Short mmCIF file of all heavy atoms in Angstrom, two decimals:
data_model
loop_
_atom_site.label_atom_id
_atom_site.label_comp_id
_atom_site.label_asym_id
_atom_site.label_seq_id
_atom_site.Cartn_x
_atom_site.Cartn_y
_atom_site.Cartn_z
N ASN A 191 -56.69 54.69 -7.94
CA ASN A 191 -55.53 55.33 -8.66
C ASN A 191 -55.12 54.38 -9.71
O ASN A 191 -53.86 54.07 -10.04
CB ASN A 191 -54.48 55.61 -7.73
CG ASN A 191 -54.82 56.49 -6.55
OD1 ASN A 191 -55.57 57.57 -6.83
ND2 ASN A 191 -54.52 56.21 -5.32
N THR A 192 -55.93 54.02 -10.60
CA THR A 192 -55.59 53.12 -11.81
C THR A 192 -56.24 53.68 -13.03
O THR A 192 -57.17 54.28 -12.94
CB THR A 192 -55.99 51.64 -11.59
OG1 THR A 192 -57.48 51.63 -11.36
CG2 THR A 192 -55.35 51.12 -10.31
N VAL A 193 -55.50 53.38 -14.12
CA VAL A 193 -56.05 53.61 -15.42
C VAL A 193 -55.78 52.45 -16.40
O VAL A 193 -54.66 51.92 -16.38
CB VAL A 193 -55.48 55.05 -16.02
CG1 VAL A 193 -53.98 54.92 -16.17
CG2 VAL A 193 -56.12 55.30 -17.39
N ASP A 194 -56.64 52.03 -17.21
CA ASP A 194 -56.63 50.87 -18.01
C ASP A 194 -56.87 51.20 -19.49
O ASP A 194 -57.45 52.32 -19.69
CB ASP A 194 -57.72 49.81 -17.56
CG ASP A 194 -57.41 49.19 -16.21
OD1 ASP A 194 -56.30 49.49 -15.68
OD2 ASP A 194 -58.27 48.32 -15.78
N LEU A 195 -56.45 50.38 -20.32
CA LEU A 195 -56.58 50.48 -21.73
C LEU A 195 -57.01 49.14 -22.27
O LEU A 195 -56.15 48.27 -22.21
CB LEU A 195 -55.40 51.03 -22.41
CG LEU A 195 -55.41 51.29 -23.82
CD1 LEU A 195 -56.48 52.53 -24.14
CD2 LEU A 195 -54.12 51.54 -24.52
N GLN A 196 -58.21 49.06 -22.61
CA GLN A 196 -58.67 47.92 -23.25
C GLN A 196 -58.40 47.94 -24.71
O GLN A 196 -58.99 48.93 -25.38
CB GLN A 196 -60.19 47.60 -23.00
CG GLN A 196 -60.81 46.43 -23.71
CD GLN A 196 -60.27 45.10 -23.01
OE1 GLN A 196 -60.17 44.90 -21.96
NE2 GLN A 196 -59.78 44.22 -24.02
N MET A 197 -57.74 47.02 -25.33
CA MET A 197 -57.40 47.12 -26.74
C MET A 197 -57.94 45.78 -27.44
O MET A 197 -57.60 44.74 -27.15
CB MET A 197 -55.91 46.98 -26.92
CG MET A 197 -55.15 48.25 -26.07
SD MET A 197 -53.40 48.32 -26.49
CE MET A 197 -52.92 46.71 -25.71
N ASN A 198 -58.84 46.14 -28.37
CA ASN A 198 -59.56 45.01 -29.12
C ASN A 198 -59.13 45.15 -30.75
O ASN A 198 -58.73 46.23 -31.17
CB ASN A 198 -61.00 45.15 -28.93
CG ASN A 198 -61.46 44.93 -27.57
OD1 ASN A 198 -60.85 44.14 -26.83
ND2 ASN A 198 -62.53 45.58 -27.19
N SER A 199 -59.39 44.17 -31.34
CA SER A 199 -59.12 44.15 -32.83
C SER A 199 -57.71 44.71 -33.16
O SER A 199 -57.43 45.43 -34.04
CB SER A 199 -60.15 44.96 -33.57
OG SER A 199 -61.41 44.56 -33.29
N LEU A 200 -56.78 44.17 -32.38
CA LEU A 200 -55.41 44.58 -32.54
C LEU A 200 -54.74 44.33 -33.89
O LEU A 200 -55.07 43.30 -34.62
CB LEU A 200 -54.51 44.00 -31.50
CG LEU A 200 -54.70 44.55 -30.05
CD1 LEU A 200 -54.16 43.62 -29.03
CD2 LEU A 200 -53.91 45.98 -29.96
N LYS A 201 -54.00 45.24 -34.43
CA LYS A 201 -53.37 45.20 -35.73
C LYS A 201 -51.85 45.17 -35.42
O LYS A 201 -51.36 45.63 -34.54
CB LYS A 201 -53.75 46.43 -36.51
CG LYS A 201 -55.20 46.56 -36.72
CD LYS A 201 -55.58 47.88 -37.46
CE LYS A 201 -56.93 48.16 -37.56
NZ LYS A 201 -57.24 49.45 -38.29
N PRO A 202 -51.13 44.68 -36.45
CA PRO A 202 -49.61 44.74 -36.37
C PRO A 202 -49.15 46.18 -36.19
O PRO A 202 -48.10 46.26 -35.53
CB PRO A 202 -49.21 44.10 -37.63
CG PRO A 202 -50.19 43.19 -38.03
CD PRO A 202 -51.43 43.81 -37.68
N ASP A 203 -49.77 47.20 -36.71
CA ASP A 203 -49.41 48.52 -36.59
C ASP A 203 -49.56 49.03 -35.17
O ASP A 203 -48.99 50.12 -34.83
CB ASP A 203 -50.20 49.45 -37.51
CG ASP A 203 -49.76 49.39 -38.92
OD1 ASP A 203 -48.73 48.75 -39.25
OD2 ASP A 203 -50.55 49.93 -39.82
N ASP A 204 -50.15 48.32 -34.31
CA ASP A 204 -50.41 48.65 -32.89
C ASP A 204 -49.12 48.24 -32.07
O ASP A 204 -48.94 48.63 -30.83
CB ASP A 204 -51.47 48.04 -32.25
CG ASP A 204 -52.91 48.58 -32.80
OD1 ASP A 204 -52.93 49.72 -33.15
OD2 ASP A 204 -53.75 47.74 -33.05
N THR A 205 -48.23 47.55 -32.79
CA THR A 205 -46.98 47.04 -32.05
C THR A 205 -46.21 48.27 -31.58
O THR A 205 -45.74 49.15 -32.38
CB THR A 205 -46.10 46.14 -32.97
OG1 THR A 205 -46.90 44.95 -33.24
CG2 THR A 205 -44.90 45.77 -32.22
N ALA A 206 -45.92 48.46 -30.32
CA ALA A 206 -45.11 49.49 -29.70
C ALA A 206 -44.93 49.27 -28.32
O ALA A 206 -45.45 48.36 -27.65
CB ALA A 206 -45.94 50.80 -29.91
N VAL A 207 -44.14 50.11 -27.66
CA VAL A 207 -44.01 50.26 -26.27
C VAL A 207 -45.07 51.16 -25.83
O VAL A 207 -45.14 52.29 -26.18
CB VAL A 207 -42.57 50.61 -25.75
CG1 VAL A 207 -42.60 50.80 -24.24
CG2 VAL A 207 -41.61 49.64 -26.16
N TYR A 208 -45.90 50.71 -24.84
CA TYR A 208 -47.04 51.67 -24.34
C TYR A 208 -46.61 52.12 -22.99
O TYR A 208 -46.23 51.44 -22.07
CB TYR A 208 -48.28 50.77 -24.35
CG TYR A 208 -48.93 50.52 -25.65
CD1 TYR A 208 -48.39 49.70 -26.56
CD2 TYR A 208 -50.06 51.26 -26.03
CE1 TYR A 208 -48.84 49.46 -27.75
CE2 TYR A 208 -50.71 51.02 -27.20
CZ TYR A 208 -50.08 50.06 -28.11
OH TYR A 208 -50.68 49.90 -29.34
N TYR A 209 -46.84 53.44 -22.82
CA TYR A 209 -46.43 54.12 -21.63
C TYR A 209 -47.66 54.81 -20.97
O TYR A 209 -48.54 55.41 -21.60
CB TYR A 209 -45.54 55.27 -21.96
CG TYR A 209 -44.15 54.78 -22.46
CD1 TYR A 209 -44.00 54.65 -23.81
CD2 TYR A 209 -43.04 54.56 -21.66
CE1 TYR A 209 -42.76 54.30 -24.41
CE2 TYR A 209 -41.84 54.13 -22.16
CZ TYR A 209 -41.73 54.01 -23.49
OH TYR A 209 -40.53 53.58 -24.14
N CYS A 210 -47.84 54.67 -19.67
CA CYS A 210 -48.80 55.30 -18.92
C CYS A 210 -48.43 56.69 -18.45
O CYS A 210 -47.25 56.81 -18.12
CB CYS A 210 -49.17 54.42 -17.62
SG CYS A 210 -50.27 55.10 -16.40
N LYS A 211 -49.23 57.61 -18.34
CA LYS A 211 -48.90 58.95 -17.91
C LYS A 211 -49.94 59.54 -17.05
O LYS A 211 -51.11 59.46 -17.30
CB LYS A 211 -48.70 59.91 -19.08
CG LYS A 211 -48.15 61.31 -18.65
CD LYS A 211 -48.26 62.30 -19.84
CE LYS A 211 -49.62 62.83 -19.98
NZ LYS A 211 -49.68 64.04 -20.95
N PHE A 212 -49.49 60.19 -15.94
CA PHE A 212 -50.50 60.89 -15.01
C PHE A 212 -49.94 62.39 -15.08
O PHE A 212 -48.77 62.53 -15.00
CB PHE A 212 -50.36 60.45 -13.52
CG PHE A 212 -51.22 59.18 -13.32
CD1 PHE A 212 -51.30 58.22 -14.24
CD2 PHE A 212 -51.91 59.17 -12.12
CE1 PHE A 212 -52.20 57.09 -13.87
CE2 PHE A 212 -52.72 58.11 -11.77
CZ PHE A 212 -52.88 57.05 -12.66
N GLU A 213 -50.84 63.19 -15.20
CA GLU A 213 -50.62 64.55 -15.31
C GLU A 213 -51.11 65.19 -13.87
O GLU A 213 -52.23 65.19 -13.59
CB GLU A 213 -51.40 65.28 -16.37
CG GLU A 213 -51.15 66.82 -16.51
CD GLU A 213 -51.81 67.31 -17.71
OE1 GLU A 213 -51.47 67.20 -18.92
OE2 GLU A 213 -52.91 67.94 -17.46
N ARG A 214 -50.19 65.78 -13.12
CA ARG A 214 -50.36 66.27 -11.84
C ARG A 214 -50.29 67.80 -11.87
O ARG A 214 -49.32 68.41 -12.38
CB ARG A 214 -49.41 65.69 -10.86
CG ARG A 214 -49.65 66.21 -9.33
CD ARG A 214 -48.54 65.63 -8.45
NE ARG A 214 -48.75 66.29 -7.13
CZ ARG A 214 -47.69 66.33 -6.34
NH1 ARG A 214 -46.45 65.95 -6.70
NH2 ARG A 214 -47.87 66.98 -5.09
N VAL A 215 -51.29 68.43 -11.17
CA VAL A 215 -51.22 69.94 -11.16
C VAL A 215 -50.42 70.24 -9.88
O VAL A 215 -50.66 69.85 -8.79
CB VAL A 215 -52.70 70.42 -10.85
CG1 VAL A 215 -52.58 72.00 -10.76
CG2 VAL A 215 -53.53 70.14 -12.15
N ARG A 216 -49.33 71.05 -10.19
CA ARG A 216 -48.41 71.58 -9.08
C ARG A 216 -48.76 72.83 -8.54
O ARG A 216 -48.46 73.22 -7.40
CB ARG A 216 -46.95 71.61 -9.72
CG ARG A 216 -46.38 70.22 -10.24
CD ARG A 216 -46.36 69.24 -9.15
NE ARG A 216 -45.66 69.53 -7.95
CZ ARG A 216 -44.38 69.46 -7.93
NH1 ARG A 216 -43.63 68.79 -8.87
NH2 ARG A 216 -43.82 69.81 -6.69
#
């Protein structure tokens, strides 16, 4: 139950708050 984000060659424009989201079918 995990999801990862590998970020390479980072740029200043990548600066942000990063949010994880799960979409659940109700």
Side-chain angles (χ1 to χ4, degrees):
N191 300 314
T192 59
V193 59
D194 291 355
L195 184 69
Q196 178 66 47
M197 305 185 294
N198 298 326
S199 302
L200 283 162
K201 306 173 181 179
D203 286 348
D204 296 320
T205 296
V207 177
Y208 284 70
Y209 298 89
C210 172
K211 186 191 81 172
F212 276 41
E213 182 180 280
R214 181 185 171 206
V215 177
R216 301 300 306 274

